[in-house]
Amino acid sequence: MAKIAFILLCHKDPEAIILQAQRLTAAGDYIAIHFDARAKREHFDLIKEALEDNPNVAFSRKRIKCGWGAWSLVQATLYAVEAAVDSFPRATHFYMLSGDCMPIKTADYVHDYLDDNDVDFIESFDYFESDWIKTGMKEERLIYRHFFNERTQKWRFYAAFNFQKKFGLAREIPADIQVQIGSQWWCLRRQTMEAVLEFTRKRKDVMRFFRTTWIPDETFFQTIVRHLIPEAEIRTRTLTFLMFTDYGMPLTFYNDHYDLLLNQDFLFARKISPEALELKERLGNLFAASGVRFQISGEGPSLFRFLTGRGRIGRRFASRFWETESAFGRNRELKIIVCKKWHVAKRLLASVEKHTDLPSMAYLFNEESSPLPDLGGIQATLAKRTRHRRALMRMLFDYYDTDQMVICLDPSSLDLIYDFYGDRSGTRMLEIQCDFSDDYLIGHANRIGLVGAQTPKETLESLLPTIRQDIVHESDKIRDGNFEHHYRLREKDDYEAHVVALTGFLKSSEEKAGKVATVNHLFAD
């Protein structure tokens, strides 16, 4: 059975560190601790005194001062790893943790998971080909030497960087390694960890290189493991659940996140708030429990994006300079059907196609699979369609050689509606307002990936009011836009009212609008 040596880097909250070590070792696992030399000596003495009689606890042979983005974090990890390898010969896995991490599964579940998956778990994406780094330095992290800490010695950091850049002092990356990048929260098998330590002793050139790279904790182990271990034995993921805010800061979990954490497909989570004492106690008790069954739904990230996105006002895409003159044409008219229930809009669109000669496209800005003609690649992805939306629509008008066209949009695409109404062409909109049952809303949440098949009923019930209000809010924002030629076709209205709305929207006769309105089971789910 798997036996884990946890590698713990910490710098504060000694009481919590003691509890964490006691809980993890109570299940028969091990822990090797590096306590930052910047922290108070009395805090380290408190930890060491409380744990010195525990044979499953080891301390790194040397304490060093750690700084964000610096080599010291990797060196501290290596010191703790060396202590774990030497002290715990029965350890089969080495799992990187921080003082803010807590288990979100039982010890039995964790051990069984590692037994069933004889691989290394570490994020390791190609440094140059992946988009793991979103902003800031990329190549410069590696090809220039970084001797100073960017946060504590900012002036020296950038002075040294600019000096090297000005005088062309870039260096070569070691020729036989392919630099990788990823999260620093990994779980590696013993044979892998021993191979890494042997590599650090033999390859002094690689060690010198990484000692002066910037933020090496995101590249060192990720690169070395990928260099030493066959790809088939690596899972490019972390087993620690963590999320980041829009500002790049780690999301903190509190007492009311217990159920959400247990449902995620991870073994540990960070970061747990120091004030979340109830959550820490419950998770600590969970780790020691047995016979617990978990419903893995994995909806954490999608829930977070959904809930934090509510109430925000603004356009997702600003105007691009190359689209300023990308008008459809003054004599052209775009007709937009807006409906949250896509199948309802598609049924009506099929009737429009049947009884008129208008070219039409369903949800081309919301649905990747929406069929479109080849327009030179601009239609290839949703991102391209949305980014070049005016140019795309002008090309579609030209392709079909028409002055009128019908498309469908989701009500959430308010920025597109504003943009199309801002064009010099004519625009008309038909908003289909449907009724929404609880079952439909649950199905909708499943379709958009907000929840999963295993999401607990209590979570679904708590989300329903938010989802329903979100749909109402989208409709209210459309109404607040005071768009010209805005017609509404309501599910609760009768056939005659539908004909009136369609007559105005299509600018057609009542007879033709009546034929379009004759759709069997238009609003059926």
Side-chain angles (χ1 to χ4, degrees):
M1 183 180 76
K3 292 184 75 69
I4 306 168
F6 293 101
I7 308 302
L8 178 63
L9 265 57
C10 47
H11 66 280
K12 61 181 180 179
D13 205 352
E15 292 83 4
I17 298 303
I18 294 168
L19 280 175
Q20 187 181 34
Q22 290 172 338
R23 287 165 175 160
L24 294 176
T25 57
D29 292 312
Y30 313 102
I31 189 166
I33 300 173
H34 178 278
F35 195 72
D36 196 335
R38 293 183 187 276
K40 295 180 180 179
R41 175 72 194 192
E42 54 266 33
H43 286 175
F44 177 67
D45 292 340
L46 180 64
I47 295 171
K48 200 160 188 179
E49 181 181 353
L51 300 173
E52 63 181 353
D53 294 331
N54 190 329
N56 287 11
V57 177
F59 292 90
S60 57
R61 62 180 174 86
K62 186 177 179 179
R63 293 175 60 211
I64 61 173
K65 295 179 180 180
C66 297
W68 182 89
W71 170 256
S72 54
L73 284 175
V74 177
Q75 187 62 70
T77 304
L78 288 172
Y79 284 149
V81 166
E82 289 169 351
V85 170
D86 294 341
S87 302
F88 311 126
R90 296 180 61 195
T92 61
H93 293 77
F94 296 81
Y95 196 120
M96 182 75 179
L97 289 178
S98 75
D100 297 322
C101 296
M102 287 291 292
I104 56 175
K105 299 291 185 292
T106 63
D108 291 342
Y109 185 101
V110 172
H111 294 147
D112 289 343
Y113 188 93
L114 295 179
D115 284 336
D116 294 340
N117 295 274
D118 184 22
V119 293
D120 296 307
F121 292 93
I122 182 169
E123 282 191 352
S124 52
F125 303 98
D126 185 276
Y127 188 91
F128 295 100
E129 297 299 326
S130 71
D131 63 347
W132 205 86
I133 298 175
K134 302 298 183 184
T135 59
M137 290 185 184
K138 188 168 186 177
E139 184 182 30
E140 294 86 351
R141 286 196 194 185
L142 306 178
I143 65 173
Y144 297 114
R145 297 166 179 83
H146 301 279
F147 303 101
F148 306 102
N149 187 288
E150 193 266 347
R151 289 192 173 180
T152 60
Q153 299 173 294
K154 188 178 290 289
W155 185 88
R156 289 182 176 180
F157 177 91
Y158 286 105
F161 166 68
N162 290 326
F163 179 85
Q164 294 176 78
K165 192 173 182 180
K166 179 178 180 180
F167 290 99
L169 300 179
R171 60 177 174 176
E172 295 292 332
I173 298 171
D176 63 328
I177 68 169
Q178 185 175 3
V179 179
Q180 305 286 307
I181 192 167
S183 167
Q184 62 269 51
W185 310 110
W186 38 255
C187 178
L188 303 177
R189 297 166 298 171
R190 185 178 191 91
Q191 61 267 35
T192 300
M193 190 55 73
E194 290 176 342
V196 169
L197 292 178
E198 181 65 18
F199 183 91
T200 64
R201 289 188 284 267
K202 289 184 176 181
R203 293 297 301 272
K204 301 302 181 183
D205 59 324
V206 176
M207 297 299 286
R208 285 194 299 271
F209 171 77
F210 277 107
R211 280 193 181 97
T212 52
T213 59
W214 188 38
I215 321 181
D217 55 314
E218 294 179 350
T219 56
F220 178 77
F221 287 98
Q222 296 80 355
T223 300
I224 305 308
V225 171
R226 184 68 73 169
H227 181 77
L228 297 171
I229 305 301
E231 183 175 359
E233 297 180 28
I234 298 175
R235 295 289 182 273
T236 308
R237 60 160 296 186
T238 174
L239 295 177
T240 299
F241 179 58
L242 67 160
M243 294 192 295
F244 291 88
T245 68
D246 291 349
Y247 304 100
M249 300 299 293
L251 180 67
T252 301
F253 298 108
Y254 296 92
N255 290 333
D256 56 349
H257 286 124
Y258 179 80
D259 292 326
L260 180 142
L261 291 175
L262 265 59
N263 293 337
Q264 306 314 310
D265 186 21
F266 295 87
L267 306 183
F268 283 74
R270 80 174 300 266
K271 57 195 250 179
I272 309 299
S273 168
E275 288 78 33
L277 300 180
E278 178 187 342
L279 177 60
K280 289 187 174 184
E281 182 178 1
R282 294 181 71 183
L283 292 176
N285 293 335
L286 172 73
F287 191 65
S290 59
V292 180
R293 298 185 63 183
F294 297 93
Q295 287 189 333
I296 306 300
S297 55
E299 77 284 358
S302 58
L303 276 177
F304 177 70
R305 288 192 298 270
F306 173 74
L307 293 173
T308 55
R310 300 312 94 197
R312 294 182 178 176
I313 298 174
R315 293 177 60 180
R316 183 176 177 188
F317 296 98
S319 296
R320 272 72 174 182
F321 69 90
W322 64 81
E323 291 188 3
T324 303
E325 298 302 323
S326 294
F328 309 156
R330 292 185 184 276
N331 297 324
R332 288 172 168 172
E333 186 171 72
L334 178 64
K335 302 179 188 293
I336 307 172
I337 299 175
V338 178
C339 185
K340 198 67 180 179
K341 290 186 177 181
W342 293 8
H343 58 281
V344 173
K346 289 178 180 179
R347 287 173 189 152
L348 184 64
L349 191 66
S351 185
V352 171
E353 292 175 339
K354 180 179 179 181
H355 298 290
T356 72
D357 57 356
L358 299 177
S360 60
M361 277 140 289
Y363 293 101
L364 70 163
F365 294 102
N366 306 108
E367 194 172 27
E368 192 91 57
S369 60
S370 181
L372 292 173
D374 186 353
L375 301 174
I378 194 174
Q379 83 295 339
T381 66
L382 285 178
K384 284 187 175 182
R385 296 175 201 172
T386 305
R387 189 180 307 119
H388 308 295
R389 50 195 177 275
R390 288 198 185 189
L392 174 68
M393 293 309 304
R394 188 183 70 251
M395 294 170 73
L396 285 171
F397 274 109
D398 292 341
Y399 180 87
Y400 289 107
D401 191 21
T402 182
D403 289 332
Q404 295 188 71
M405 187 179 301
V406 187
I407 66 171
C408 296
L409 287 180
D410 189 271
S412 63
S413 304
L414 186 61
D415 56 329
L416 295 176
I417 298 173
Y418 269 108
D419 199 25
F420 290 149
Y421 263 93
D423 192 87
R424 294 196 296 266
S425 63
T427 308
R428 308 176 85 82
M429 175 167 53
L430 178 69
E431 182 186 359
I432 305 178
Q433 296 183 339
C434 305
D435 299 331
F436 299 93
S437 66
D438 287 352
D439 287 342
Y440 177 84
L441 293 179
I442 292 172
H444 171 69
N446 271 281
R447 286 188 293 274
I448 65 175
L450 184 59
V451 298
Q454 301 301 320
T455 300
K457 181 180 179 182
E458 296 76 12
T459 301
L460 290 173
E461 291 176 347
S462 65
L463 277 174
L464 285 178
T466 304
I467 299 172
R468 190 181 299 278
Q469 183 57 39
D470 191 58
I471 293 174
V472 172
H473 178 72
E474 289 175 349
S475 182
D476 287 343
K477 294 302 294 180
I478 291 175
R479 179 172 296 186
D480 292 341
N482 295 316
F483 297 109
E484 287 187 311
H485 309 301
H486 177 190
Y487 304 91
R488 296 181 184 86
L489 195 154
R490 301 176 179 87
E491 181 173 354
K492 62 183 179 181
D493 289 345
D494 57 21
Y495 171 78
E496 285 73 19
H498 292 175
V499 172
V500 171
L502 285 167
T503 300
F505 173 66
L506 296 171
K507 286 202 305 186
S508 68
S509 65
E510 288 191 8
E511 180 183 2
K512 181 172 291 188
K515 293 179 180 179
V516 173
T518 307
V519 181
N520 293 328
H521 312 295
L522 175 61
F523 292 97
D525 288 336

